[in-house]
């Protein structure tokens, strides 16, 4: 949460407030409402605040356990700390992402495509904030008001992973894109799952300040 200082000097990023509750509480409600029974939360920086707030999850309708990092291990490295590897594909969500996607659909998509690692992605339009002047030599031939330059595909911070891929991890710092590279290098199948639902990542002030004003209904899953 360095890019969100001073907010994160005394608060871990997943505990920053959106629509009256911590980001992580919204994430937990979404997965609980969609039928998930147990989650693991990886903690390091000010992790005691997260553990003290959620405890074992009983008050939130879900069983919670923790992966405590002695040092930062990246968005994938903490998976190497899992003691009891799940038998089925499991969902991973970054602690700064709010979305109302159907996680069940994501897992079904992963399984139907016989994927080993699936990354949810979002299409993002790069917009030029300025009016563009088209010229030929020194002559003006046209104008274009704040055009969309191109559409790119971005990592949405939500994944489904097959349990057998965990063996490719060592207990070291590694982020999820690099983990996907390792899985692919091992000749395993990696695919994307395009999402069209609402999606917000709270990575910096430019992201967080607008999201603070968004109503809860925009990122809470509905049947």
């Amino acid at each position: 949460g360095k890019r969100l200082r001073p907010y994160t000097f005394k608060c871990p990023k997943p505990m920053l407030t959106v629509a009256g509750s911590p980001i992580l509480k919204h994430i937990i409600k979404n997965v609980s409402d969609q039928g998930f029974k147990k989650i693991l939360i990886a903690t390091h920086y000010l992790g005691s605040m997260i553990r003290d707030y959620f405890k074992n999850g009983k008050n939130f309708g879900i069983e919670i356990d923790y992966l405590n990092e002695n040092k930062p291990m990246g968005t994938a490295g903490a998976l190497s700390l899992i003691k009891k590897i799940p038998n089925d594909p499991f969902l991973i969500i970054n602690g700064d992402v709010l979305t109302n996607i159907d996680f069940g659909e994501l897992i079904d998509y992963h399984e139907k495509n016989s994927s080993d690692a699936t990354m949810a992605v979002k299409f993002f339009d790069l917009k030029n904030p300025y009016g563009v002047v088209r010229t030929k030599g020194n002559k003006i031939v046209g104008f274009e008001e704040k055009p969309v330059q191109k559409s790119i595909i971005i990592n949405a911070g939500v994944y489904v992973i097959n349990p057998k891929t965990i063996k490719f991890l060592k207990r070291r710092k590694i982020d999820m894109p690099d983990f996907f590279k390792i899985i692919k290098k091992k000749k395993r199948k990696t695919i994307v799952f395009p999402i069209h639902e609402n999606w917000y990542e709270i990575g910096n002030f430019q992201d967080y300040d607008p999201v603070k004003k968004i109503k809860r209904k925009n990122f809470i899953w509905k049947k």
Side-chain angles (χ1 to χ4, degrees):
K2 290 181 179 179
R3 291 179 296 164
L4 277 161
R5 289 175 177 173
Y7 293 150
T8 51
F9 276 137
K10 295 183 179 181
C11 178
K13 184 165 61 170
M15 296 300 289
L16 292 177
T17 300
V18 173
S21 296
I23 297 166
L24 189 53
K25 185 177 179 180
H26 295 304
I27 295 173
I28 289 172
K29 175 170 175 55
N30 273 347
V31 297
S32 177
D33 286 351
Q34 294 190 45
F36 291 81
K37 301 300 182 184
K38 181 175 181 176
I39 64 173
L40 295 172
I41 301 177
T43 63
H44 175 62
Y45 177 69
L46 298 178
S48 60
M49 289 184 64
I50 295 174
R51 295 190 294 272
D52 290 345
Y53 188 94
F54 294 104
K55 298 182 171 61
N56 63 4
K58 184 178 180 180
N59 292 335
F60 301 91
I62 198 166
E63 182 184 346
I64 297 177
D65 205 350
Y66 298 89
L67 302 173
N68 300 312
E69 303 174 25
N70 292 324
K71 57 183 180 180
M73 298 187 71
T75 51
L79 300 177
S80 66
L81 301 176
I82 298 176
K83 294 179 180 179
K84 187 177 180 180
I85 305 297
N87 295 319
D88 300 310
F90 59 94
L91 179 73
I92 301 167
I93 308 172
N94 288 357
D96 61 354
V97 167
L98 290 172
T99 180
N100 59 350
I101 69 173
D102 189 316
F103 298 126
E105 286 186 3
L106 170 56
I107 293 174
D108 287 345
Y109 177 88
H110 171 88
E111 293 182 320
K112 287 177 182 177
N113 284 276
S114 301
S115 176
D116 290 288
T118 300
M119 177 185 293
V121 298
K122 186 79 173 173
F123 290 89
F124 183 77
D125 291 330
L126 290 177
K127 295 181 180 179
N128 185 342
Y130 305 102
V132 173
V133 181
R134 305 295 181 191
T135 63
K136 187 174 182 180
N138 64 353
K139 294 181 179 179
I140 295 174
V141 296
F143 300 92
E144 199 171 353
E145 188 61 28
K146 301 179 181 178
V148 174
Q149 292 183 312
K150 66 175 182 177
S151 183
I152 60 173
I153 299 174
I154 62 172
N155 177 2
V158 181
Y159 318 87
V160 177
I161 300 292
N162 278 1
K164 291 182 179 179
T165 63
I166 298 297
K167 65 184 179 183
F168 302 142
L169 282 172
K170 297 180 180 179
R171 291 198 174 184
R172 60 184 178 88
K173 184 175 182 179
I174 182 170
D175 288 321
M176 195 60 73
D178 292 321
F179 184 32
F180 268 69
K181 290 178 185 177
I182 292 172
I183 296 170
K184 186 174 177 62
K185 192 175 180 180
K186 296 290 186 179
K187 308 297 183 183
R188 305 302 171 91
K189 189 174 183 180
T190 58
I191 63 173
V192 297
F193 175 82
I195 63 174
H196 306 284
E197 294 85 353
N198 293 337
W199 175 86
Y200 311 94
E201 182 184 57
I202 300 91
N204 52 45
F205 287 106
Q206 289 75 21
D207 299 329
Y208 183 43
D209 288 339
V211 171
K212 284 191 293 185
K213 303 173 185 177
I214 293 174
K215 294 182 179 179
R216 185 171 171 272
K217 66 180 181 180
N218 289 301
F219 48 76
I220 290 298
W221 176 80
K222 297 292 184 182
K223 292 183 180 179

